[in-house]
Every structure is written in structure tokens, then in C-alpha cells.
């Protein structure tokens, strides 16, 4: 049964508050209305599109990142607890896929995971020492990939970080990264 306009708008607002990264397509399927109706409802509710919602959350997290400039991160960091865990989102656009088959280029998924590992560590200089990665499932144009990084081990000068990337609930990428950290003085002097 479809909701009346105001009830639907109230429900959309609650759904976006619960999950600010839900897509218009997911909302249209959930409420059994067109994407255009969802866009009109969001506009009426003064709720920005997904890309702006992600950018707003990412901007809030940039101040908590010490090892890399926010503009150098591949994807948008939407949650970071320094030296513990972090989450980023990337929308796979036309510049991230092969033109013949619209499948995401592997280096995009790797770069998202790797830069998330760098952003996670709250040290002035962080470099990738080694990685062991696995591409699990094909990622396609317009997929939204969520990467989750978790510190699993900490040693003097190294962090071991596990990254898992998902499209919706399906894992598409996984990897373990050994990240080296140092001070700028050690690099320069």
C-alpha cells in the first residue's frame, strides 16, 4: 500500500536520517514511487542529493585526518576513529570503469582501500609497506562501494589493517595492508 504524500515524506526524512547514504533508487524501490518523486520529496524537505550528503559528512571528518590531505583520498571518508577504524564511500563513475564493459578498474578499488588505510593512521607520515588483496566480485558503473578499514595489529612503526569493501551487502574486495609510519623529521633528516 502506497503512503500518502506527507506520510511518505515523513518516512523518507526518517529513512535518510537513519541512513544518510541511501540512494534515490533505493528510496524509490522502498516507497514504490518513481525516482523523480523521491527527488521532489527531498527538495521539498530541503534534503540534498546523495553526493552532497556524502561530501558534507566527509568534510566533517577531514579535520580528524592527519596523514593525508582530504583532496588526496580516493573516495569520501564518512567515518574515522583515528588508529582504530574508518569508512569511505566511492561512487563508481564513468572515469572509473572500462569503456567496453563498464566494469570498475581494479586500481580504483585498491586506491580507495589504500588511501583509507593512510587516512586511518593518525601520524604525520604514513606509507604502504605491503598489501595482500583479493577482488571478490565485479563492480560496475554507478555502484556505490563502501570500504571499511579496521586496525587488527599495531607494532612499533607498523599497523596491520584489514579492509573489506562492499556494494550494498555484497563483499567485492578485501585486503590486508601493512602500513609504515614515521615522523617528517625522520624522512627529512
Amino acid at each position: 500500500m502506497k503512503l500518502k504524500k506527507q506520510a511518505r515524506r515523513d518516512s523518507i526524512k526518517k529513512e535518510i536520517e537513519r541512513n544518510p547514504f541511501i540512494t534515490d533508487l533505493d528510496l524509490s524501490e522502498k516507497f514504490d514511487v518513481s525516482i523523480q518523486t523521491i527527488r521532489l520529496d527531498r527538495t521539498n524537505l530541503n534534503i540534498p542529493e546523495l553526493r552532497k550528503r556524502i561530501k558534507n559528512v566527509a568534510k566533517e571528518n577531514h579535520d580528524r585526518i592527519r596523514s593525508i590531505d582530504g583532496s588526496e583520498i580516493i573516495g569520501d571518508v564518512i567515518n574515522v576513529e583515528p588508529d582504530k577504524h574508518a569508512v569511505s564511500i566511492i561512487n563508481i563513475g564513468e572515469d572509473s570503469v572500462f569503456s567496453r564493459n563498464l566494469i570498475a578498474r581494479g586500481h580504483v578499488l585498491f586506491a580507495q582501500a589504500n588511501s583509507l588505510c593512510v587516512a586511518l593512521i593518525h601520524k604525520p607520515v604514513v606509507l604502504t609497506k605491503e598489501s595482500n588483496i583479493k577482488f571478490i566480485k565485479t563492480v560496475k558503473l554507478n555502484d556505490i562501494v563502501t570500504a571499511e578499514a579496521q586496525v587488527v595489529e599495531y607494532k612499533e612503526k607498523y599497523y596491520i589493517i584489514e579492509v573489506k569493501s562492499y556494494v550494498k551487502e555484497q563483499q567485492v574486495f578485501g585486503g590486508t595492508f601493512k602500513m609504515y609510519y614515521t615522523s617528517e623529521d625522520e624522512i627529512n633528516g
Side-chain angles (χ1 to χ4, degrees):
M1 179 173 111
K2 286 190 178 185
L3 297 172
K4 294 195 185 264
K5 187 189 316 186
Q6 192 55 50
R8 183 183 66 241
R9 287 180 175 173
D10 291 343
S11 295
I12 288 169
K13 184 176 181 181
K14 287 177 186 170
E15 190 66 30
I16 291 174
E17 286 171 355
R18 189 182 67 73
N19 176 9
F21 309 114
I22 191 167
T23 66
D24 287 349
L25 176 61
D26 290 338
L27 288 168
S28 73
E29 290 171 357
K30 183 175 182 92
F31 294 103
D32 195 26
V33 295
S34 70
I35 291 176
Q36 292 80 2
T37 298
I38 294 297
R39 289 178 181 150
L40 287 170
D41 288 345
R42 272 194 308 92
T43 301
N44 181 273
L45 294 165
N46 293 319
I47 297 173
E49 65 179 334
L50 175 63
R51 190 177 355 215
K52 285 187 178 180
R53 294 193 310 264
I54 291 171
K55 294 289 182 197
N56 289 341
V57 172
K59 208 178 295 181
E60 293 170 11
N61 281 293
H62 283 193
D63 293 340
R64 301 174 71 191
I65 298 171
R66 183 173 175 198
S67 56
I68 188 172
D69 184 77
S71 65
E72 297 172 324
I73 298 170
I74 306 302
D76 295 298
V77 177
I78 59 168
N79 185 357
V80 63
E81 190 171 339
D83 300 328
K84 293 185 181 173
H85 70 270
V87 179
S88 74
I89 290 179
I90 191 168
N91 188 359
I92 302 300
E94 289 182 11
D95 59 335
S96 300
V97 298
F98 294 106
S99 60
R100 287 185 175 186
N101 52 26
L102 305 180
I103 293 174
R105 299 169 185 265
H107 69 267
V108 174
L109 299 177
F110 175 83
Q112 178 191 21
N114 190 71
S115 64
L116 185 60
C117 289
V118 174
L120 168 61
I121 300 171
H122 199 63
K123 306 288 184 199
V125 178
V126 179
L127 304 167
T128 306
K129 176 77 172 163
E130 57 189 70
S131 65
N132 181 4
I133 63 168
K134 184 175 184 180
F135 295 94
I136 299 167
K137 189 168 173 25
T138 303
V139 176
K140 297 179 181 168
L141 179 66
N142 296 322
D143 281 346
I144 296 174
V145 180
T146 303
E148 301 175 355
Q150 179 77 40
V151 172
V152 293
E153 190 175 341
Y154 167 75
K155 295 182 176 186
E156 186 174 337
K157 298 291 182 189
Y158 294 98
Y159 281 83
I160 306 296
I161 300 172
E162 183 176 84
V163 178
K164 293 181 180 177
S165 299
Y166 301 88
V167 172
K168 297 192 180 191
E169 305 296 319
Q170 182 73 44
Q171 186 176 356
V172 296
F173 174 91
T176 303
F177 293 77
K178 185 174 186 179
M179 306 300 291
Y180 169 77
Y181 69 89
T182 188
S183 68
E184 290 181 30
D185 292 339
E186 290 177 280
I187 296 257
N188 295 328

